[in-house]
Amino acid sequence: MIELEGATFRYGGVEALTNVTLSMEQGAMAFLTGPSGAGKSTLMKLLYLSLTPTSGSVRLFGRDAAKLTRRERAHMRRRIGVVFQDFRLLDHLSVLENIALPLRIAGARPADYASDVTELAEWVGLGGRLNARPPELSGGEQQRIAIARAVIASPEIILADEPTGNVDPEIAARLMGLLLELNRLGKTVLVATHDLALVARLGAPTLRLEGGRLSQAGERAA
Ligand SMILES: Nc1ncnc2c1ncn2[C@@H]1O[C@H](COP(=O)(O)OP(=O)(O)OP(=O)(O)O)[C@@H](O)[C@H]1O
Ligand SMILES: [Mg+2]
């Protein structure tokens, strides 16, 4: 489902990832840990096709990402839900409109999805702020919009970059619970996080990046 083969990525002179090889089967879940600057977000961006490796390859859904046409690429991205570390919400849209964006892009009509979107917004604790705009909300509230938006269209792969970095432990546990539940439903889920306590408790396989290199894949968290 997700395969990186010898992927290296350089930002100008800075080598952020070095020779990373990893693969995740359909329906797998893993955590990606490692210190700040280790390359976690860069790896996520390769998997979301927003960066192309300097060398090595990325395969998604069995296809080499470098060989996709623009159209295929756009289509593939719709099968991936992403929680960006910096949220990337649209400030002029309401909470509801932000969450519904992937559905709207896929051509669905508001009348058909309004109740699903409202229900998910309530579930992530934003029921009282449906019409607010992101700049009026706290960091943790914005993070919850980003997670709801990543999962609303039921993507096959979910990539979450520090999805609980801005919320309190109770909401963090709830949001991780949502990601685990989606994995139980068959989604392939990769979560980058600093929160080692949470990772240890959840017990999914953990990949560790350090200085752009992946240490032995497939270790189990304690
Ligand atoms: N746009 C960029 N231009 C140049 N260097 C960059 C850029 N983005 C990231 N880097 C560098 O690449 C390395 C990896 O960054 P990355 O954001 O992937 O780390 P991270 O593991 O996600 O860190 P954090 O835990 O702080 O989010 C760092 O040394 C960073 O300074
Ligand atoms: Mg990061």
Side-chain angles (χ1 to χ4, degrees):
M1 195 74 162
I2 295 179
E3 286 177 281
L4 284 189
E5 183 68 48
T8 292
F9 185 82
R10 259 180 235 114
Y11 293 101
V14 181
E15 190 157 295
L17 289 175
T18 305
N19 197 24
V20 172
T21 294
L22 86 90
S23 86
M24 287 180 74
E25 302 283 323
Q26 183 171 357
M29 175 157 188
F31 289 104
L32 181 63
T33 65
S36 182
K40 302 182 296 296
S41 295
T42 305
L43 179 49
M44 291 296 205
K45 287 172 189 163
L46 289 183
L47 296 179
Y48 183 57
L49 312 178
S50 73
L51 293 176
T52 305
T54 312
S55 60
S57 66
V58 177
R59 291 179 75 82
L60 291 175
F61 303 104
R63 305 275 319 268
D64 183 341
K67 295 189 178 138
L68 300 173
T69 63
R70 270 175 81 116
R71 198 191 161 90
E72 287 171 332
R73 215 176 161 76
H75 183 255
M76 196 174 271
R77 288 173 96 166
R78 278 191 230 139
R79 299 168 70 186
I80 308 174
V82 192
V83 183
F84 296 98
Q85 189 168 13
D86 54 1
F87 314 143
R88 305 200 194 171
L89 303 173
L90 297 181
D91 286 349
H92 61 287
L93 297 183
S94 69
V95 168
L96 271 185
E97 290 163 337
N98 267 286
I99 296 174
L101 213 54
L103 299 172
R104 220 173 83 186
I105 290 170
R109 289 175 311 169
D112 295 330
Y113 60 66
S115 69
D116 286 349
V117 175
T118 306
E119 193 182 323
L120 183 58
E122 283 168 0
W123 197 86
V124 297
L126 293 171
R129 308 303 307 271
L130 299 179
N131 296 312
R133 317 240 171 244
E136 303 159 37
L137 299 174
S138 72
E141 288 167 334
Q142 293 184 35
Q143 186 145 51
R144 285 179 269 159
I145 303 175
I147 292 183
R149 181 185 59 185
V151 304
I152 187 71
S154 203
E156 293 152 78
I157 294 177
I158 297 164
L159 303 173
D161 196 353
E162 294 289 348
T164 59
N166 296 275
V167 297
D168 59 54
E170 194 178 321
I171 291 176
R174 191 181 165 94
L175 294 176
M176 283 294 185
L178 172 64
L179 294 171
L180 285 168
E181 181 59 29
L182 290 164
N183 174 245
R184 274 193 283 271
L185 293 171
K187 314 293 183 189
T188 307
V189 181
L190 180 62
V191 182
T193 181
H194 282 114
D195 194 343
L196 295 177
L198 199 61
V199 168
R201 206 164 62 238
L202 297 174
T206 302
L207 306 167
R208 184 171 166 83
L209 267 178
E210 203 147 349
R213 292 178 184 271
L214 201 61
S215 49
Q216 196 62 40
E219 283 168 49
R220 298 259 152 197

